[in-house]
Amino acid sequence: MRRVLITGCSSGIGLDAARHLQAQGWRVVATCRSPEDIDARRAEGMECLFLDLADPESVAACVRDALAGGPVDALVNNAAFALPGAVEDMPRDALRAIFEVNLFGTHDLTRRLIPHFRERGAGRIITISSVLGLVGIPWRGPYVATKFALEGLTDVLRLEMHGTGIHVTLIEPGPITSRIRENAIPHFERWVDWRASPRADQYRASLLKRLYEPSGKDRFELPPRAVSERILTALTAANPAPRYYVTTPTRISGVARRVLPTRALDWFARRN
């Protein structure tokens, strides 16, 4: 039975992917941070390990424990968090915190599994990026920065893995039903002193309402299963594509980034 390690399985994309792949016959090694979520995944019949991507020792222990349970055929890098706010209001340590998880921890986990994939002569690395890895929009600077960096690093890794039997794929969702907005609130409250910002009125009129008074689904929003299906395709295709777009905004952005001038992209970003 094929075995896949998936990060960030407490909710949203990671949880749905774990359930979907399990239903398709995969042995799922899920990772979470809270003991309650770990217990919940185990109750569903999954292997589940603790993983804090910001902690190198936790990353090393997760890989060690996963491999102790048998060969791993694939890795799905899903775990990440958002840190909303204006770029000018982001202290240096705020960027360090989000990069530690979204980029550095993800890279660390990936490179620790590559030797195992090389030894077996095969492996799949699926990394969940975002439409915000293709185009930036206001109030999302730190998250955009990590996803742009993740896109570049993953593209290079894919090129370098050519001929090794290790396939590397990016999946780029747009709006997906999840708790990412809710989970972003503690990070925002920790790092952003919005009351002292020259944009305080803009925070009140825009970002605070979006964070604390959600008005329902975003335009074009899809359920997590839309991503899970692309993950399954990337895991099973004989020759997976370099990237898979999910939702209308990523398809538009993928084309627009290649053919439109920067001013046109700016116009699009301000309206989405």
Side-chain angles (χ1 to χ4, degrees):
M1 184 181 292
R2 295 165 297 181
R3 196 159 169 260
V4 57
L5 173 64
I6 308 173
T7 67
C9 295
S10 293
S11 62
I13 292 171
L15 176 55
D16 189 83
R19 289 170 172 167
H20 186 55
L21 293 180
Q22 184 182 50
Q24 298 298 316
W26 288 73
R27 284 182 61 195
V28 172
V29 184
T31 77
C32 301
R33 287 193 305 161
S34 81
E36 294 80 10
D37 291 330
I38 291 173
D39 289 343
R41 299 296 83 77
R42 289 174 177 169
E44 294 183 66
M46 303 175 195
E47 300 175 59
C48 193
L49 301 174
F50 172 81
L51 174 62
D52 181 354
L53 285 171
D55 180 359
E57 293 184 3
S58 176
V59 175
C62 179
V63 172
R64 182 187 65 241
D65 292 345
L67 294 179
V72 174
D73 298 281
L75 167 65
V76 178
N77 288 312
N78 166 70
F81 71 87
L83 172 55
V87 170
E88 65 183 299
D89 296 328
M90 291 294 164
R92 185 169 183 163
D93 284 346
L95 293 182
R96 281 200 182 101
I98 194 170
F99 267 85
E100 280 292 346
V101 172
N102 293 11
L103 183 69
F104 303 148
T106 295
H107 168 67
D108 189 13
L109 179 66
T110 301
R111 69 179 297 273
R112 287 177 184 274
L113 278 170
I114 286 176
H116 174 69
F117 293 151
R118 280 187 175 276
E119 183 180 353
R120 303 185 74 226
R124 299 285 170 111
I125 299 170
I126 315 298
T127 295
I128 309 301
S129 180
S130 169
V131 63
L132 298 184
L134 298 171
V135 61
I137 63 173
W139 306 109
R140 308 294 191 277
Y143 187 79
V144 167
T146 63
K147 292 301 185 179
F148 266 66
L150 191 64
E151 291 259 338
L153 200 65
T154 304
D155 274 336
V156 173
L157 180 64
R158 184 186 72 254
L159 296 172
E160 292 173 346
M161 290 295 103
H162 180 73
T164 65
I166 302 170
H167 295 278
V168 180
T169 299
L170 281 161
I171 295 182
E172 291 153 338
I176 297 293
T177 305
S178 75
R179 292 171 52 191
I180 190 167
R181 188 181 304 163
E182 175 186 346
N183 292 341
I185 292 174
H187 303 289
F188 171 72
E189 292 177 345
R190 177 184 180 187
W191 294 112
V192 180
D193 185 4
W194 67 267
R195 293 176 181 84
S197 171
R199 297 178 176 272
D201 289 342
Q202 291 175 306
Y203 276 100
R204 292 187 185 95
S206 176
L207 184 59
L208 295 183
K209 291 182 179 180
R210 183 171 177 82
L211 279 178
Y212 297 101
E213 303 172 22
S215 57
K217 288 187 175 182
D218 286 337
R219 184 171 46 163
F220 305 120
E221 185 173 311
L222 294 177
R225 184 54 50 92
V227 183
S228 299
E229 290 171 352
R230 287 288 184 268
I231 291 172
L232 183 61
T233 297
L235 289 173
T236 57
N239 186 27
R243 52 190 12 95
Y244 292 94
Y245 301 129
V246 185
T247 75
T248 299
T250 52
R251 296 186 185 96
I252 293 174
S253 297
V255 173
R257 191 178 178 192
R258 293 192 294 269
V259 302
L260 292 179
T262 299
R263 288 185 184 276
L265 289 173
D266 289 350
W267 180 89
F268 175 76
R270 285 193 296 268
R271 284 153 178 78
N272 289 274

